[in-house]
Amino acid sequence: MKLGVNIDHVAVLREARRVNDPDILNALFVACQNGADQITIHLREDRRHIQDADAYNIMKHSTLPVNLECSINRDILNIVTDLKPHRATLVPEKREEVTTEGGLDVIKYEDEISYAIELLHDYIIPVSLFIDPTIEAVQMSKKLGAEMVELHTGTFANIYAMLHSSLSHSNHSIKELQLPRHELAIKLEKSIADITAAAKHAKKIGLEVAAGHGLNYHNVHEMMKISEITELNIGQSIIARSVFSGLAEAVKEMKRVTAR
Ligand code: PXP
């Protein structure tokens, strides 16, 4: 399985203070040196984390292929064609969202997506479409000329967390998923079946298949069972885990440099 490490969250932390710490290039080098197969970043229209300069620096210094997520906004596409990443993944974007909430509406935005794919292909940039795991979306992605689809695993991840973690007892409990456990279990099975069917169909019609969003150290094993999925793009859970695999050392180091 190819692992795309999404390092956006390092820039989220940096932007919270507007200083150059943590440095996104350090994150790039650590990911490159520790088994990532690809670097994934999302240049958002609102530039809430990755900035244009980050994208250029990452393109310049990455020893791994860069998968650049972007919307179909023309200004953003112009930057992407200048950056020439190894692949562009088209994603939907809403200003008010915390993170990418659903897949691209490939039916509603057929013309805009078709324009974006043609433009990117003019610059020899292969295109993946981040879609909900439905047969219709997969079919449409093929028709539009994408090389690849990335199946949105957010619904699966939400149901998994409500069923198997303490999320339902927390402030972040998901209202529409506050259901009896047996109902959540049925929904979870359905979400896995949807992803499996979409992945199988995509492979059958000649699309490469990735998956991503909300995947973590607990739920990812379900995606590993789907042989048609050959790539996972994972961000938040890796950066969250790194806080705790590194916090002890960071405290010790500060204690050492402040010792008298
Ligand atoms: N794939 C795509 C297309 C995304 O938009 C994101 C979030 O930026 C991810 C993967 C990674 O999601 P997460 O941070 O939840 O692992």
Side-chain angles (χ1 to χ4, degrees), residues 6 8-9 69 91 99-100 130 150 212-214 233-236:
N6 181 318
D8 292 348
H9 282 81
E69 298 173 6
V91 304
T99 180
T100 317
F130 189 41
E150 178 168 338
H213 204 90
N233 287 298
I234 306 182
Q236 208 264 345

Side-chain angles (χ1 to χ4, degrees), residues 4 107 132 160 169 214:
I107 311 282
D132 290 324
Y160 193 100
H169 300 280

Side-chain angles (χ1 to χ4, degrees), residues 138-171:
V138 168
Q139 293 267 102
M140 192 62 176
S141 302
K142 179 72 182 172
K143 183 179 159 206
L144 286 166
E147 282 80 15
M148 185 167 191
V149 286
E150 178 168 338
L151 302 176
H152 194 301
T153 51
T155 302
F156 154 77
N158 284 345
I159 301 168
Y160 193 100
M162 288 295 279
L163 186 60
H164 292 304
S165 82
S166 58
L167 185 68
S168 64
H169 300 280
S170 77
N171 286 345

